[in-house]
Amino acid sequence: MHVAIPILLLAATVVVVATACRRVGLSAPLVLTALGAAASYLPWVPMPFAVEPEVILLGFLPPLLFAAASQTSLIDLNHNRQQILSLSVFLVLLTALGVGLVTWLLLHGWLGLDVTFPAALALGGVVAPPDAVAATAVARRIGLPRRVVTILEGESLFNDATALVTVRTSIALVAGGATVLTASRDFLIAAVGGAVVGLVAFKVIAWVRTHVTEPVTDVAISFLSPWLAYLPAEAVSAGGAHGSGVIAVVVCGVLLAHEAPTIQTAQSRVSERMNWSTIQFLLENMVFLLIGLQTHTIVDAVVKDENIGLVNALLVGLAVLVTVIVLRPLFVMPLALLWKLPVSRADPLSMREAAIISWAGMRGVVTLAAAFLLPADFAQREALVLIALIVAVGTLIVHGFSLGWLARRLDLHGPDPREDALQSAQVTQAAVRAGRAELDRVLDDPDTPTVPEDIEQALRTQAERRANIAWERLGGGRDDSEAPTEAYRRLRTAMLQAERTKVLKMRDAGHLDHAVLRAVMDSLDVEESMIAAVGERQQSLDDRMLLTPEERQGGCEDLRDASSSVNPETFDECPDCIREGTTWVHLRLCLTCGHVGCCDSSVARHATRHYEESAHPVMRSFEPGEAWRWCFKHELLG
C-alpha cells in the first residue's frame, strides 16, 4: 500500500489538474510543476524526495519520445531538416558552451569555488535542450503555425541526444578521461550508432507487425518498441562511447508511424492511437509533477552547503536563466537571415516565425534527469542541480506565459480550421474518386459475379455522402437550412440511441448471450463515434475567424486560366432552386459566365448540372470568406 497509494495520488492529481488547465487555458506543465513545488513542503511528503535519474531516462523518456515521434511527419521533418539540425545540434552546443562559461566565471571567478570549466560545461549540457513535451504542449495550446510546431518538435526530439552526450563527455573531462578529440568521436558514435540501431529496430518491428493481425498483440508490440530501440542503442559501445538511445527511439518511432498504413491493420492503428494518447497524457504530466516535488530536497541541500549558500545559488541560477534565454534568439535570428540567402537550400523561415521559434525554449524533463546524472562527488553538485531547476521552472514561466502574447503581437496563428476543412475535402474527394474508379473496374470485369443493383447504388451513395460531408464543413449555408449530412447525423444519432436502449433492455432481461450483445454494442459504438467525430470537426469551425486561404500549389491549365473576377447573376441565392422549389446548401459561382448554382450536397446539384450543360470548367465557392476554386474537368482544387 505504501507504493500503490502514492502512485494513485500522483495519477489522480495529474488527471484533475491537467483537465482543469485544459478547460481554463492554462499551461498544465507549469501548473503541475508549481503545485509539486508547493506540495514538497507539506509535512507528509517524505524527505528527501528524489527521483532516480534512471527512472526518468529509462522509464519515462523512451515512451514519451516514441509517442511524440509517432505523431511527427517524416515528410515534414525532411522538409525542415536544416532548421532542425541547426537547432538540435549547433544551438545546443552553443548554449552549453555559453552557460558553461558564465557558470564557471560566476562560481569559480566570483565566488571562488572549486568548480572547473568541464564541470560548468556539464551544467551547460544539462540546461541546453528545450523539452519536447513542454514546447509542443504550449505551442499547440496557444495555436502556432504547423511548420513552427514541426520545427520545435523536431528540435526537441533530437536535441536530447546532443545534450546527454555533452553531459557525459563533460563528466569524463572532469575525471580526466576525455579530450576534445574523444568528445567528437563520442558524439559521432552516439549519433550514427543510435540512428543505425533505430533503423534496425524499425525493420525488425515492422516485419513482425506485418505478420500480426490481432490488434491487442500489435498494440502490445507498440508498447515494447521504445525500449526495443533504446536499450540496444545504449548497449552499443565503441571505445567507451555508447550509441544514443534517444536517437534510436526517435528514428524508430518516426519510421514506424510513416509505414503504419502498410504494416498495420486499421483496427490496430485506431487502438494504438487511443492507448498511446492515454499513456502520453499520464506520463508527460506526471513528469512535471515529479520535478516540482523535488524542489524542497534540492533547496534544502543547497541551504546546508555553507560554501555557496542559497542566495548566491539563486543569483547564479538567474544569471544562467538569462543566458539561456538570450542565447537562443542570438543564434536563431541571424541564422534565419542566412537561410534567406540564395546559396542556402533551406526553405527560409519568415522573421516572424524565427522570432517565435527563438522564444520557444521551455526546459523540462531531460534537464532535471540529466542534472541528477551528475556524480555524487561532483563539486557543488547540489548547487548545479538547483540552478538546473531554476532554469527549467524559469523558462516554463517566462516563455510559457509570454509565448502566446508574442504570437498575437506578431500575428502568427494556428492553421485556419476552414483551410484544414478545404484540404480534408480535397483529400476525401480524391479518395472517393479512386474508390469509384475501382468499383467501376471490378463491376466491368467479366469474371466478377453479378452484383445486385441496389448494392451497387448503396456503395455509390455511401461514397458520395463521404465526399459531401467533407465539403459541407465549408461555407455557412442559409441560417434556416440544415445540410443533408447534418440531418443524417442528427437522425441517425437518435436511431442509434433507440437501438442501444433496446439492446440494453434485452441484456437486462437475460434473453441473449453476453458475447453476442457485446458484439452488437461494439458495432453501435463504432458507428456513433464516427458520427460524433464528424460533429466535433464541424463544431470546430463555428465562431471562428474567417481567414484568407493559403495559396495552393498544383492545379491545371483551366484553373490557371480561369477569370479572377466575374459578375455573378445573383448574390445570395440559387436561381434554379428558387425556380424549381428546392433548397440549396452552399452556393457556387461559375468563373466563365457568372452562373450561381448549388453544391452537390443540395438536392438539385445545379452547379454540376451547369457544368454538364455548358462545359464551363471552373467554379469557385460563393460562400462568405471562401475563395477556393474547383475544376470539374480535371477534378482538381485550386
Side-chain angles (χ1 to χ4, degrees):
M1 295 297 290
H2 69 282
V3 175
I5 292 178
I7 293 177
L8 177 62
L9 290 175
L10 287 173
T13 302
V14 163
V15 171
V16 172
V17 174
T19 302
C21 288
R22 187 185 301 113
R23 293 187 175 180
V24 299
L26 293 177
S27 171
L30 180 59
V31 173
L32 285 167
T33 303
L35 183 63
S40 68
Y41 286 91
L42 295 176
W44 55 81
V45 175
M47 277 287 291
F49 184 93
V51 180
E52 292 295 327
E54 287 78 10
V55 173
I56 301 296
L57 292 176
L58 293 178
F60 283 79
L61 190 58
L64 284 175
L65 286 172
F66 186 83
S70 298
Q71 300 173 30
T72 305
S73 167
L74 177 62
I75 305 299
D76 291 342
L77 287 179
N78 182 57
H79 182 69
N80 299 287
R81 61 185 180 277
Q82 291 195 27
Q83 290 88 348
I84 293 172
L85 177 65
S86 300
L87 296 174
S88 61
V89 177
F90 300 113
L91 177 56
V92 170
L93 295 177
L94 173 67
T95 305
L97 289 172
V99 169
L101 180 61
V102 169
T103 304
W104 181 67
L105 291 175
L106 291 176
L107 293 180
H108 180 75
W110 176 46
L111 296 176
L113 299 177
D114 184 22
V115 176
T116 62
F117 180 74
L121 183 62
L123 175 65
V126 166
V127 302
D131 181 63
V133 175
T136 56
V138 173
R140 284 173 171 160
R141 178 177 58 85
I142 65 177
L144 293 179
R146 280 208 179 96
R147 189 184 181 201
V148 171
V149 176
T150 296
I151 292 175
L152 292 176
E153 285 180 336
E155 174 198 7
S156 301
L157 287 174
F158 289 100
N159 62 10
D160 296 340
T162 307
L164 292 175
V165 171
T166 302
V167 173
R168 289 168 178 168
T169 303
S170 300
I171 293 174
L173 287 170
V174 173
T179 63
V180 175
L181 182 61
T182 58
S184 302
R185 180 206 63 188
D186 292 351
F187 183 83
L188 185 62
I189 293 174
V192 176
V196 171
V197 172
L199 180 60
V200 173
F202 155 70
K203 293 288 187 181
V204 173
I205 296 171
W207 181 85
V208 172
R209 281 185 156 183
T210 57
H211 295 80
V212 173
T213 57
E214 300 84 358
V216 173
T217 305
D218 194 39
V219 173
I221 294 173
S222 175
F223 291 159
L224 298 175
S225 298
W227 291 278
L228 292 176
Y230 188 92
L231 296 177
E234 291 291 326
V236 171
S237 177
H242 296 273
S244 171
V246 170
I247 291 181
V249 171
V250 171
V251 169
C252 182
V254 170
L255 292 177
L256 284 174
H258 186 71
E259 295 296 329
T262 60
I263 63 176
Q264 290 180 270
T265 64
Q267 192 175 2
S268 294
R269 292 195 299 273
V270 172
S271 298
E272 182 179 350
R273 282 196 296 269
M274 294 177 61
N275 282 279
W276 269 110
S277 295
T278 303
I279 292 174
Q280 185 179 13
F281 169 78
L282 289 173
L283 290 183
E284 69 184 17
N285 287 294
M286 192 175 293
V287 163
F288 289 102
L289 182 59
L290 292 174
I291 289 174
L293 287 171
Q294 298 177 89
T295 302
H296 189 184
T297 300
I298 296 172
V299 172
D300 189 60
V302 175
V303 170
K304 294 178 180 179
D305 187 348
E306 298 178 356
N307 292 324
I308 183 171
L310 181 61
V311 174
N312 288 335
L314 292 175
L315 291 175
V316 175
L318 292 176
V320 172
L321 173 62
V322 172
T323 303
V324 166
I325 293 175
V326 170
L327 283 177
R328 187 173 177 88
L330 289 179
F331 178 86
V332 173
M333 299 307 292
L335 196 62
L337 294 175
L338 291 177
W339 285 328
K340 292 180 179 293
L341 296 178
V343 294
S344 174
R345 296 184 178 180
D347 186 7
L349 292 167
S350 68
M351 297 310 294
R352 294 185 303 159
E353 290 174 330
I356 205 72
I357 288 175
S358 71
W359 199 245
M362 288 73 71
R363 270 63 177 176
V365 51
V366 175
T367 291
L368 266 295
F372 284 100
L373 286 177
L374 300 178
D377 58 351
F378 224 59
Q380 302 301 321
R381 179 184 185 274
E382 290 76 13
L384 296 179
V385 173
L386 177 61
I387 293 171
L389 178 63
I390 292 172
V391 171
V393 175
T395 52
L396 284 173
I397 295 174
V398 174
H399 293 139
F401 279 117
S402 61
L403 194 62
W405 173 85
L406 179 62
R408 290 189 295 272
R409 292 297 300 268
L410 295 174
D411 193 27
L412 280 174
H413 45 73
D416 180 7
R418 294 184 181 271
E419 174 68 15
D420 284 353
L422 181 61
Q423 293 189 37
S424 175
Q426 178 187 13
V427 173
T428 303
Q429 184 73 53
V432 168
R433 185 167 65 248
R436 286 201 305 258
E438 177 64 15
L439 177 62
D440 293 336
R441 186 195 66 80
V442 173
L443 293 178
D444 292 340
D445 188 342
D447 296 331
T448 301
T450 302
V451 177
E453 185 177 348
D454 58 335
I455 298 298
E456 177 185 348
Q457 186 58 40
L459 290 171
R460 296 189 185 278
T461 302
Q462 184 180 21
E464 184 176 358
R465 182 185 295 120
R466 287 183 55 238
N468 288 344
I469 287 174
W471 289 111
E472 284 174 17
R473 294 178 61 206
L474 296 156
R478 299 193 307 170
D479 293 339
D480 59 348
S481 64
E482 183 180 43
T485 52
E486 175 62 25
Y488 173 85
R489 184 169 65 87
R490 174 175 57 83
L491 295 174
R492 184 55 185 153
T493 300
M495 291 175 63
L496 287 170
Q497 292 292 346
E499 292 174 19
R500 181 178 290 104
T501 300
K502 180 62 176 178
V503 172
L504 291 177
K505 288 182 178 179
M506 297 177 70
R507 179 201 64 181
D508 295 340
H511 292 162
L512 295 175
D513 183 77
H514 174 70
V516 175
L517 287 168
R518 186 174 62 181
V520 175
M521 290 291 291
D522 287 346
S523 65
L524 295 177
D525 291 342
V526 169
E527 184 176 358
E528 185 173 2
S529 66
M530 295 173 62
I531 294 176
V534 172
E536 291 173 0
R537 287 196 296 268
Q538 180 62 43
Q539 184 66 32
S540 69
L541 299 182
D542 296 342
D543 302 324
R544 294 293 188 97
M545 178 177 60
L546 295 177
L547 304 176
T548 303
E550 300 176 1
E551 182 179 352
R552 306 192 62 78
Q553 298 179 350
C556 61
E557 62 274 10
D558 293 301
L559 287 169
R560 290 192 294 269
D561 297 339
S563 174
S564 59
S565 62
V566 63
N567 292 324
E569 60 184 25
T570 183
F571 287 93
D572 58 358
E573 63 185 15
C574 174
D576 293 329
C577 283
I578 297 294
R579 184 170 54 255
E580 297 175 8
T582 56
T583 302
W584 67 88
V585 178
H586 297 155
L587 297 178
R588 308 295 184 233
L589 172 66
C590 175
L591 293 182
T592 301
C593 66
H595 175 81
V596 175
C598 55
C599 67
D600 283 359
S601 290
S602 306
V603 176
R605 304 172 52 158
H606 286 121
T608 298
R609 286 169 57 183
H610 174 71
Y611 162 70
E612 293 170 347
E613 296 169 358
S614 66
H616 294 165
V618 179
M619 64 87 180
R620 59 154 285 183
S621 173
F622 207 42
E623 293 295 310
E626 294 184 359
W628 56 271
R629 300 175 297 163
W630 177 259
C631 176
F632 285 101
K633 181 179 178 181
H634 300 97
E635 294 192 336
L636 288 175
L637 186 69

